[in-house]
Amino acid sequence: MDNTSGVGVLDKAAIVLSALEAGPSTLAQLVTATGLARPTAHRLAVALEHHRLVTRDLQGRFILGPRLGELAAAAGEDRLLAAAGPVLGALRDHTNESAQLFRRQGEHRVCVSAAERPVGLRDSIPVGAALSMRAGSAAQVLLAWEEPDRLHRGLQGAAFTATSLSGVRRRGWAQSVGEREPGVASVSAPVRSPSGRVIAAVSISGPIERLSRQPGRLHAATVIAGANKLTEVLARHAAQQDAQNNA
């Protein structure tokens, strides 16, 4: 089978990325692995590095770059969003509160799916709304498991503290009462990728008069169950993909 597309530069770039799949490579190793001329291999690796598809380790060797992980996460998001609708709907029906799914994008958290409470007083967050990472239970969840440096930066100006986030990690869920908006309470739990990284937060939110000042006591177990369902969907899909790739 011919593995070439007819677009020479793309074919060669794909060969470089495939070679790096095996692990870090010096330029000499990359030349040997790809069969490309040394100037060509160097030019392609540096160009891929510019686009963050390739980066370098502490020894200066070429390795696969962070952009590949971001693209993979975006591809997985379709699977997450497809599963989110029914899960959020069930969460809304069980708690009688609005339910949302948030993902972090830079310094904001974006509502990527929602199930609104049909009648009565509610906390309405439309899909596409960008909210602060400095307040709210979903922000706590999306920040709590970050790398230490990023976590520390995220705490600057936040309504919650490092101690709060330590409690979130220990319990596996977060709550907020009037933190993002006066009169509003919420409960959130993490959705994890197959590698275990927190990639989203499932939340319910509503007026304090219904959710009380301890909303976690009322709804944490239900919110955790909803988040775990989405984590399981992603894990199952990844297992199916691995099985197909190894078939």
Side-chain angles (χ1 to χ4, degrees), residues 134-220:
R134 299 290 189 263
S137 62
Q140 294 177 41
V141 163
L142 292 171
L143 190 61
W145 283 273
E146 285 281 16
E147 294 295 323
D149 287 351
R150 199 172 186 195
L151 191 153
H152 179 72
R153 288 197 302 273
L155 284 170
Q156 295 173 13
F160 42 81
T161 65
T163 302
S164 304
L165 297 188
S166 177
V168 170
R169 289 191 296 275
R170 186 177 66 254
R171 292 190 308 266
W173 57 270
Q175 67 179 9
S176 69
V177 179
E179 193 175 280
R180 173 178 61 83
E181 189 177 324
V184 173
S186 67
V187 182
S188 299
V191 178
R192 296 179 181 274
S193 71
S195 68
R197 188 169 63 88
V198 173
I199 58 170
V202 168
S203 303
I204 61 154
S205 58
I208 293 173
E209 63 191 51
R210 276 202 312 266
L211 282 170
S212 81
R213 303 198 73 82
Q214 291 291 332
R217 287 183 183 173
L218 294 176
H219 297 305

